[in-house]
Amino acid sequence: LLPTHFALSEMLLAVAGSFAIAQAGRISTWFAIGLAPIALAGLVGAIRIAVGMTGFIVDLHGFLSRPAALFGLGCLVAVLLRRQPWLPPVLGTIAMAIATFAPATTPLLFIGLIGAGAILVYRAATRRALIAAVSFAGLLIAILVSARFRSAQPALSWHLFHTLVAVWFMLVAAFVIPVLQKR
């Protein structure tokens, strides 16, 4: 069982995610759906830690954090591509299936989808393109920065990762979603 304070940064992530989802939902349903798995992972994580649950909920949190998060990233990239309306669920499902059946590819999928999304945001932005692209890439930054502390200071790594993902949600709401709105 994890200490209760671990639930705090999970809840921070869930709250920030809810805000970004609400902002995105006004412009693109699929973009909002793309943000949802990571926010739900935060909510599930906060509940499981606060209540001290084990078993299935741990697996659910892991699924939302990895394969479902890749589904979401696939949806985000597909929305940014501005192609057919069926593309977000298809690209999201393909990313999730690859992560589920070939979990070793998960880091490469995260890097590829985040990189593609950052490039697409940069190209679509009419103003502040660099900050919009860096904002989209903030999820990768959160992964890389927190990973440095994972073995030596796991609690710091945990809180740093979840706090940086919450910041990522706020940056997406502030700089990426407006790019969608102007298109």
Side-chain angles (χ1 to χ4, degrees), residues 145-156:
V145 168
S146 64
R148 297 182 54 119
F149 301 100
R150 191 169 295 135
S151 60
Q153 297 180 346
L156 174 62

Side-chain angles (χ1 to χ4, degrees), residues 48-163:
R48 88 171 170 98
I49 294 165
V51 179
M53 296 173 74
T54 60
F56 172 75
I57 197 163
V58 175
D59 295 334
L60 176 61
H61 182 259
F63 175 77
L64 289 168
S65 298
R66 287 173 214 75
L70 284 165
F71 170 83
L73 284 172
C75 290
L76 299 179
V77 169
V79 168
L80 292 167
L81 280 170
R82 294 183 59 189
R83 303 277 190 232
Q84 301 298 322
W86 51 263
L87 189 58
V90 169
L91 185 57
T93 301
I94 290 169
M96 183 172 63
I98 292 169
T100 301
F101 297 112
T105 64
T106 298
L108 291 176
L109 281 170
F110 268 110
I111 292 167
L113 289 171
I114 292 169
I119 290 167
L120 291 168
V121 167
Y122 182 83
R123 292 178 64 200
T126 54
R127 297 177 335 148
R128 300 191 284 190
L130 184 58
I131 195 160
V134 170
S135 294
F136 192 91
L139 185 59
L140 182 59
I141 294 166
I143 293 167
L144 295 174
V145 168
S146 64
R148 297 182 54 119
F149 301 100
R150 191 169 295 135
S151 60
Q153 297 180 346
L156 174 62
S157 176
W158 179 284
H159 290 303
L160 186 60
F161 175 71
H162 292 98
T163 301

Side-chain angles (χ1 to χ4, degrees), residues 4-31:
T4 306
H5 66 87
F6 278 47
L8 295 175
S9 58
E10 291 271 15
M11 186 53 72
L12 175 65
L13 185 157
V15 170
S18 297
F19 175 77
I21 290 166
Q23 297 299 312
R26 298 177 184 157
I27 296 142
S28 169
T29 301
W30 278 111
F31 205 85

